[in-house]
Amino acid sequence: ILVFALGCGIVVPILYFGIQLLAAPFFPDYSFLSMEASLLGSDMAIYPAIFNIGAITTGIVTIIASVGFLLALQHLGTNPFLALLTSLAVLLNGFGSLWAGFFPMPDPRHGSNPFAVGIFLFPILLTFSLWNRSNARPIKIYLIITNLLFIALIPIMSGVSGINTQGYQGLLQRIAVLVFFVPISVGSYFLIQHTKNLSFSEGTKRDSKKTA
């Protein structure tokens, strides 16, 4: 169950972008540069179900991944509260994808997704969850960079920076998704590798005790 659930986490960003590639040919003159992903599921698309079913599928896969994060972090001895919060952030991310699929544009509920907070919190929560692990230096560096990119994106996407983003909304959204979704994949891979190593180490110790 653990490896399967974390395997689901690895494919989350692949699903997110792959579904867009499948849906884009059925949207006349779609631009990845200027148009947001959600338009592919709107009534402007020829077959909006491609994107919307894909979003729901991504949500289900992400929810399964949240179980993997909880089990793996507990297995590694992470603070139980941090492990719970981190997996909850992944769970909310999954609910957010479900929401986007069930309430596609132009439904006014689409833009008021109540689960979006999970997307923003996950990278920082995973950083704290792995902070005390001496064998997690590469992923901690990656997560620090990710959180810094998130901070840098806030003034740009909110318009406070004064940078004209007109015509680049689609690009900015996809950059933001790379910042928030890819850590789910990277974190899942890290946890698969290190829970395997821990299990192998524990098994070796048990075998040595039996031999003794």
Side-chain angles (χ1 to χ4, degrees):
I1 292 176
L2 176 59
V3 174
F4 171 74
L6 290 174
C8 287
I10 290 176
V11 303
V12 166
I14 299 171
L15 277 174
Y16 179 85
F17 288 106
I19 288 158
Q20 293 179 47
L21 292 175
L22 287 174
F26 302 98
F27 190 108
D29 301 320
Y30 185 79
S31 170
F32 284 93
L33 184 66
S34 62
M35 295 181 176
E36 296 181 354
S38 294
L39 283 173
L40 293 168
S42 71
D43 55 3
M44 297 171 63
I46 299 172
Y47 297 114
I50 296 174
F51 180 83
N52 295 326
I53 292 173
I56 293 169
T57 302
T58 303
I60 293 170
V61 169
T62 308
I63 290 169
I64 295 172
S66 71
V67 177
F69 272 90
L70 180 60
L71 295 175
L73 290 172
Q74 288 177 337
H75 191 58
L76 292 177
T78 303
N79 177 282
F81 184 63
L82 270 176
L84 181 62
L85 285 180
T86 304
S87 60
L88 182 60
V90 181
L91 180 68
L92 292 177
N93 196 327
F95 285 158
S97 293
L98 289 179
W99 183 277
F102 283 125
F103 304 112
M105 294 177 69
D107 191 314
R109 289 171 290 185
H110 183 86
S112 59
N113 193 324
F115 305 110
V117 64
I119 299 171
F120 305 131
L121 290 178
F122 174 72
I124 187 65
L125 287 171
L126 184 60
T127 305
F128 283 124
S129 292
L130 299 177
W131 192 254
N132 292 328
R133 297 199 64 81
S134 59
N135 58 353
R137 186 177 179 184
I139 191 172
K140 284 189 287 187
I141 293 172
Y142 162 75
L143 289 170
I144 289 170
I145 294 171
T146 295
N147 286 297
L148 290 175
L149 284 173
F150 169 43
I151 294 170
L153 281 172
I154 292 174
I156 298 173
M157 298 191 73
S158 64
V160 175
S161 66
I163 298 174
N164 183 10
T165 60
Q166 188 67 32
Y168 299 98
Q169 295 92 331
L171 176 62
L172 281 174
Q173 184 196 43
R174 289 170 177 88
I175 292 173
V177 168
L178 286 173
V179 171
F180 296 123
F181 275 52
V182 174
I184 297 177
S185 182
V186 173
S188 295
Y189 179 78
F190 172 86
L191 291 174
I192 285 175
Q193 296 303 310
H194 287 77
T195 50
K196 278 182 178 179
N197 291 341
L198 184 60
S199 298
F200 176 78
S201 176
E202 290 173 349
T204 303
K205 288 179 181 179
R206 284 195 299 267
D207 290 342
S208 62
K209 285 180 180 180
K210 287 179 182 179
T211 303

